[in-house]
Amino acid sequence: MIKERRLPQALRMVFSGSMAVGLGLLASPVLAQEGDKEEEAPQQMQRVEITGSSIKRLVAEGALPVTIIKADDFIKQGSTTAAEVLSNISGNQTNYTTSANVGAGRTVGAAADLRGLGPDKTLVLLNGRRLANSAFDGSAVNLNVIPIAALERVEILRDGASAIYGTDAIGGVINFITKRSYTGLNLSAEGIAPEQSGGAEKRFNLSGGIGDLDKDGYNFFGVIDYHSQNAVKASDRRFSAPGGQNPGIGLNAGSGNSYPANYYDIDADRSGNPYAASGCLPPYAFTQGGVCRYNTQALIGIIPKTEEIALISKGTFKLDADNTASIEYLHSESKVKTYVAPDVFSGDASGSSTDYIINPNSPYYPGNGITPGSVSGGPLSLNWRSVDAGQRISESRNSTDRLLLSLDGTLGSWDYKTGLAYSMSKASDNLVGGYLDSNKVRQGFLGGILNPFGPQSEAGLAYLKDAQVRGAILDAKTQVTSLDFTASRELFQLPAGPLGFALGGEFRKEQANFNVNHERSDVVESSGSADSKSASGSRNVKALFTELNVPILKSLEAQMALRYDGYSDVGNTINPKLALRFQPAKEILFRSSYSTGFRAPSLYELNDPNANTYTAAPYNDPILCPGGSVAAGGIAARDCGQQFLKQQGGNKNLRPEKSNSFTLGMVIEPHPNITASVDYWNIRIKDQISVIPESDIFGDPVKYAADFVRNPDGSLSHINNTYVNLGNVHTSGFDLGFAWRLPKTAWGNFGLALDGTYVSQYDYQTEAGGDYLNNLAVYSGGGVIFRWRHSATLNWSRGPWSAAVQQVYSTGYRDQNGSQVAEAQRNHQVGSYTRYNVSGSYTGFKNLTLTAGIKNLLNTDPPASNVTDNFQYGYDARYADAIGRAFFVRANYKFF
């Protein structure tokens, strides 16, 4: 065993990761119990493998910036999902939360995003091994399937790691680690009650295990965890209730697919609405430009209804004193139910069989006695919203399964581990209510059954009920079968210490299938899967890697790693890494690393079926309605302020992304109970894979002219919005940490901690060789990168009592300020955002732990934003919490 090298107490805390800086939680150092003195004899410690290295060592010896969050700590904060746990990590600039599923299909659910580079560049592991990525999106793990009740800790490597783990590890690695073994029976229950309507949560979990691994030679344990959250409507919150009609931020947005319907009089060549002169039908319809527009965003659910259940079980067998075998099984399910405005039916003004037409023989034709107005007497092409059919309700269902057989231990002088794993991720998009058969709607208008301008008759309501389409429209499955082996040992002694060596390999077979239910998708034009085709893909991945840990001097250590990956579909890559750790004195330590990285395009990005869906926001056709004014050949009801179709999906011509990463940092300990750290990071990515934001395409129609696809009559058919290689990304910044354990007092023990990230640069290209655009503190490219984010915590404990006060802060930024915003107000700045959370725990009852707290103590609303890239208006749901003040209680009881 390697001789232990003692570090100052606070430095040991940093490198062991036992200080959960992200949550500001102070814990005992790993290499010494609290109160140990430096002159005490070194304890015998077990070598372990830390995220970011394949060589087992004493945890204090690592040189990489790894943050470790203990499960007990984030449970006390009231975190109920993996995404919520990671939201307090300052380097996690996530913009894909569960709320982002509203109005979107084929989504990942919720994902991590270290450095703001995208969820596809953060590698998520469970017990050091990959899970199958979400079947939809295909490039990231759905955090909603992580069983947080089974977790012991979360390790976050804030450095590129392709040389160790291969693809996806450009921004960093998040390793969710479950309990190694467990004995006894434990039950916990938790409830969260928001002060405002909607969003209530409940969570239950049961864990149990038998067998002492050391005494009995075996251990079996299992955990089952259930969590649910109710939906929140836009009308439940004052900042989202105005929808698209929010003059305070200059937002004046509405859909031309209205109720009452707008029409285009084909014979008279003019647009209109029978109720435009009288103010349409408030409160959701309003008059603009001689037609009615509909405030759709006031009718949505801003937070979806969610439900997750996870089961993980593990059996471990001790083969002898040094070797163990284990079998592990995970099954997790997630349901996300979203609510958006009623269905949409857009006439194409052609008068053909694809149009939505009302003829003069309909009782609802203007001037026939029911509907006011006077028109030419010819056919009218309609733009209608089916209010009487109710909101569109869809449900995304995701499941993950993984079976792992593994061996690990020591043979001779070698530490080894090997595993055979099969992972599967399934997903489906399901229509639950409000979606109508487009062909039946056409027939209903032609037959005079449906009223496009007002309430339906009993016959019309019955017809709409019969036209409802329910069930799965798209399902997908990804499968990963993998075999891995790693062996490490100390090769020999150098003057400064032992030379550590590791060698390993991995084989993976990846498969993906995407199946479209044409019976449903082809007749529901707003389904997002109309006209798409089923597709599949597969590939083999082979990898070899090696690592050296070289003690150059007593105070200087180097880590060198090299990995080869061969992909059967996108080629081969070799990625090196060099890391240095220099400790000239016990109070100070320097660390640095350089590595290259890569990310292969996922099977989803290569093979996702191309399909049409509506844009999230309304736009003007840049040719037929430039600036909102109808041009020659244009039709207001068709070309102005419309949600146009966009074609999304995969691209078989994608190239892999490549990266270079550099870090340089230091940790100082001016006092045994005070630690401060700063780490500079710099990442460059080439050939970034993404989609061009729809707002960028409509915002620069000259640059993106090739992405506008037009019908024979010149009207806009759709825009192309599939995956492409956009160009390069360059970002850099600093991670800062501070921890202070105050001296013990008669009033208890106090501790302060801060975890902050300052981003100094974030530039990107939308095409190879193009101009670099700034995304730092500026909404651009479909999102924003915050200049500064931090989490600060004050902890207190005394006997069975403990408490924490936490502040989570992010700076403001320049808003989207798009075309839906009044020109005079297109200089809006989104304000900074601060939330305070408090919690307390009591352990004075035998086997019982009680926890209570308040999230968002001051009931702070999200900062106002005029962003229209999301379905939620009035704020940006990707970066802010719409719940408001919420009270939570939790009880945990250990039966034995």
Side-chain angles (χ1 to χ4, degrees):
M1 179 172 289
I2 303 173
K3 183 179 179 181
E4 178 185 336
R5 287 180 285 178
R6 305 286 286 181
L7 294 176
Q9 179 176 337
L11 287 182
R12 293 198 300 271
M13 291 163 56
V14 170
F15 291 108
S16 69
S18 59
M19 180 180 66
V21 179
L23 294 176
L25 300 168
L26 295 171
S28 300
V30 167
L31 291 187
Q33 298 300 316
E34 186 176 350
D36 281 356
K37 299 179 180 180
E38 290 300 316
E39 62 268 16
E40 290 179 355
Q43 303 173 11
Q44 289 295 309
M45 300 299 296
Q46 181 182 3
R47 293 177 296 165
V48 296
E49 185 177 317
I50 295 293
T51 301
S53 176
S54 299
I55 300 175
K56 283 190 174 183
R57 69 190 77 197
L58 294 176
V59 287
E61 294 184 348
L64 299 174
V66 177
T67 299
I68 299 180
I69 309 173
K70 291 183 176 180
D72 288 344
D73 295 331
F74 61 70
I75 287 173
K76 290 178 182 177
Q77 291 288 338
S79 298
T80 56
T81 65
E84 189 176 5
V85 172
L86 297 179
S87 68
N88 291 322
I89 300 298
S90 63
N92 183 38
Q93 295 243 1
T94 186
N95 64 359
Y96 209 91
T97 63
T98 303
S99 293
N101 288 265
V102 175
R106 295 186 279 183
T107 63
V108 67
D113 183 10
L114 294 176
R115 306 302 185 207
L117 298 170
D120 50 13
K121 284 173 275 294
T122 296
L123 178 61
V124 174
L125 306 173
L126 180 65
N127 292 331
R129 290 183 168 92
R130 294 173 180 266
L131 291 164
N133 286 341
S134 170
F136 289 154
D137 185 75
S139 56
V141 170
N142 179 7
L143 295 178
N144 290 334
V145 303
I146 299 293
I148 70 168
L151 297 180
E152 178 181 89
R153 65 187 187 277
V154 183
E155 295 183 355
I156 302 165
L157 172 63
R158 295 173 285 114
D159 193 10
S162 285
I164 304 297
Y165 298 108
T167 187
D168 303 342
I170 291 176
V173 180
I174 299 174
N175 190 6
F176 293 92
I177 299 174
T178 63
K179 299 175 178 68
R180 182 171 179 263
S181 63
Y182 180 80
T183 57
L185 183 64
N186 186 88
L187 174 67
S188 68
E190 182 172 4
I192 300 178
E195 186 174 282
Q196 304 175 67
S197 299
E201 296 181 66
K202 56 185 177 183
R203 181 178 170 210
F204 306 96
N205 59 72
L206 178 68
S207 57
I210 58 172
D212 185 297
L213 190 60
D214 293 323
K215 295 179 179 178
D216 303 322
Y218 68 89
N219 177 260
F220 295 96
F221 81 90
V223 178
I224 185 168
D225 187 33
Y226 173 84
H227 169 257
S228 67
Q229 181 178 24
N230 292 334
V232 177
K233 297 181 292 185
S235 59
D236 289 335
R237 298 293 185 270
R238 59 189 175 191
F239 49 83
S240 58
Q245 295 297 292
N246 194 335
I249 52 177
L251 198 57
N252 183 24
S255 171
N257 296 296
S258 180
Y259 173 82
N262 293 316
Y263 63 77
Y264 172 67
D265 190 329
I266 297 175
D267 291 348
D269 188 24
R270 68 179 181 86
S271 300
N273 191 294
Y275 294 95
S278 60
C280 300
L281 296 178
Y284 300 113
F286 59 95
T287 302
Q288 188 179 86
V291 297
C292 293
R293 306 196 67 80
Y294 205 73
N295 188 2
T296 55
Q297 264 55 36
L299 289 170
I300 69 169
I302 57 174
I303 293 178
K305 178 180 175 61
T306 60
E307 187 176 27
E308 299 103 30
I309 187 168
L311 167 69
I312 187 168
S313 57
K314 185 175 182 180
T316 305
F317 309 89
K318 202 162 189 178
L319 304 179
D320 56 37
D322 298 317
N323 300 278
T324 60
S326 64
I327 179 171
E328 177 184 298
Y329 175 66
L330 165 71
H331 175 75
S332 185
E333 297 179 5
S334 170
K335 297 178 182 179
V336 179
K337 184 177 289 186
T338 60
Y339 303 79
V340 296
D343 211 349
V344 133
F345 302 91
S346 300
D348 59 18
S350 67
S352 67
S353 61
T354 62
D355 205 350
Y356 294 94
I357 296 293
I358 185 172
N359 286 316
N361 58 0
S362 169
Y364 304 112
Y365 191 85
N368 280 1
I370 298 176
T371 305
S374 175
V375 290
S376 68
L380 305 180
S381 176
L382 301 170
N383 286 64
W384 179 62
R385 193 168 292 273
S386 56
V387 170
D388 285 326
Q391 286 179 296
R392 281 172 289 172
I393 306 172
S394 60
E395 185 175 76
S396 178
R397 302 173 185 170
N398 290 265
S399 68
T400 293
D401 291 87
R402 188 179 78 172
L403 177 65
L404 171 65
L405 306 175
S406 62
L407 293 170
D408 67 90
T410 303
L411 291 176
S413 58
W414 290 90
D415 295 318
Y416 74 92
K417 68 172 185 178
T418 183
L420 175 64
Y422 171 76
S423 296
M424 176 175 62
S425 176
K426 291 182 178 181
S428 64
D429 276 349
N430 302 269
L431 308 181
V432 178
Y435 289 89
L436 303 180
D437 185 320
S438 303
N439 294 326
K440 289 185 177 181
V441 171
R442 290 187 180 94
Q443 295 165 9
F445 289 141
L446 291 173
I449 301 173
L450 294 180
N451 180 6
F453 303 114
Q456 303 299 325
S457 65
E458 289 187 11
L461 291 174
Y463 191 89
L464 289 178
K465 184 177 180 180
D466 181 66
Q468 294 263 354
V469 179
R470 295 182 175 88
I473 57 169
L474 182 69
D475 65 83
K477 180 170 70 173
T478 59
Q479 302 173 83
V480 179
T481 304
S482 63
L483 176 66
D484 64 75
F485 178 81
T486 304
S488 64
R489 61 164 295 177
E490 296 171 2
L491 291 181
F492 48 80
Q493 286 286 331
L494 294 173
L499 177 70
F501 170 74
L503 180 69
E506 180 184 13
F507 173 81
R508 295 199 311 273
K509 183 174 182 62
E510 301 177 354
Q511 299 169 280
N513 296 278
F514 311 96
N515 303 305
V516 181
N517 185 315
H518 291 283
E519 180 183 353
R520 300 186 183 105
S521 66
D522 289 354
V523 299
V524 180
E525 293 183 353
S526 64
S527 67
S529 297
D531 303 321
S532 61
K533 302 290 189 297
S534 298
S536 63
S538 65
R539 65 183 173 204
N540 296 329
V541 184
K542 302 173 183 177
L544 291 173
F545 52 89
T546 187
E547 182 184 350
L548 287 173
N549 193 76
V550 184
I552 302 171
L553 303 170
K554 290 290 186 181
S555 58
L556 179 63
E557 180 182 280
Q559 177 198 13
M560 294 178 282
L562 186 71
R563 180 176 173 119
Y564 162 85
D565 288 88
Y567 282 73
S568 60
D569 56 349
V570 294
N572 307 325
T573 181
I574 296 177
N575 292 280
K577 180 168 188 172
L578 172 64
L580 296 172
R581 172 186 175 276
F582 177 53
Q583 188 178 355
K586 67 177 184 178
E587 296 86 6
I588 189 168
L589 183 145
F590 298 93
R591 57 192 177 198
S592 182
S593 70
Y594 173 81
S595 63
T596 66
F598 84 104
R599 188 181 78 84
S602 70
L603 292 176
Y604 176 88
E605 291 166 331
L606 294 168
N607 301 286
D608 177 35
N610 287 0
N612 288 336
T613 189
Y614 285 100
T615 57
Y619 299 96
N620 297 311
D621 185 319
I623 293 179
L624 298 179
C625 190
S629 299
V630 180
I635 299 171
R638 181 194 65 189
D639 305 319
C640 302
Q642 296 298 311
Q643 288 174 278
F644 293 100
L645 290 174
K646 63 178 179 181
Q647 186 173 88
Q648 56 187 9
N651 179 355
K652 290 185 178 294
N653 297 317
L654 294 174
R655 301 182 300 276
E657 299 174 330
K658 298 180 180 179
S659 70
N660 294 277
S661 300
F662 172 74
T663 67
L664 176 64
M666 65 179 294
V667 184
I668 60 172
E669 185 191 54
H671 183 276
N673 290 330
I674 299 176
T675 302
S677 65
V678 58
D679 287 280
Y680 170 76
W681 46 270
N682 188 306
I683 303 172
R684 294 176 180 267
I685 300 175
K686 180 181 179 182
D687 291 333
Q688 181 190 23
I689 298 171
S690 189
V691 296
I692 301 171
E694 62 182 50
S695 55
D696 285 8
I697 295 175
F698 280 96
D700 195 342
V702 175
K703 179 178 180 178
Y704 298 108
D707 291 317
F708 288 84
V709 180
R710 298 194 171 273
N711 296 310
D713 64 357
S715 62
L716 183 59
S717 170
H718 63 272
I719 61 170
N720 286 324
N721 201 214
T722 58
Y723 285 99
V724 293
N725 288 102
L726 291 180
N728 300 342
V729 177
H730 183 197
T731 182
S732 60
F734 299 86
D735 290 328
L736 295 96
F738 173 78
W740 180 20
R741 180 184 285 116
L742 280 70
K744 291 184 178 181
T745 71
W747 298 280
N749 302 319
F750 293 87
L752 290 171
L754 170 76
D755 171 40
T757 295
Y758 179 87
V759 183
S760 56
Q761 179 183 16
Y762 196 106
D763 298 325
Y764 72 98
Q765 296 173 307
T766 58
E767 59 186 349
D771 294 335
Y772 278 91
L773 306 175
N774 175 39
N775 204 181
L776 179 59
V778 174
Y779 191 99
S780 181
V784 67
I785 300 298
F786 294 96
R787 184 175 294 277
W788 170 258
R789 295 184 75 235
H790 78 244
S791 173
T793 304
L794 169 65
N795 291 290
W796 168 83
S797 64
R798 185 185 183 197
W801 295 93
S802 63
V805 179
Q806 179 191 47
Q807 181 199 61
V808 182
Y809 173 84
S810 57
T811 51
Y813 57 93
R814 192 173 74 204
D815 212 347
Q816 183 180 13
N817 299 320
S819 60
Q820 302 299 318
V821 178
E823 189 169 352
Q825 293 177 270
R826 292 181 187 173
N827 58 353
H828 185 255
Q829 289 285 130
V830 177
S832 60
Y833 186 40
T834 306
R835 287 172 295 134
Y836 291 91
N837 306 312
V838 297
S839 64
S841 294
Y842 180 71
T843 59
F845 300 114
K846 184 178 180 181
N847 298 332
L848 178 66
T849 300
L850 298 175
T851 302
I854 305 174
K855 298 182 180 182
N856 197 349
L857 177 66
L858 302 182
N859 200 27
T860 304
D861 285 342
S865 171
N866 58 38
V867 62
T868 56
D869 281 348
N870 309 321
F871 264 61
Q872 299 95 331
Y873 282 9
Y875 74 110
D876 199 321
R878 297 167 296 181
Y879 308 116
D881 178 20
I883 291 293
R885 183 185 292 124
F887 305 88
F888 71 89
V889 292
R890 184 178 189 274
N892 184 85
Y893 186 77
K894 296 180 179 180
F895 291 91
F896 58 88

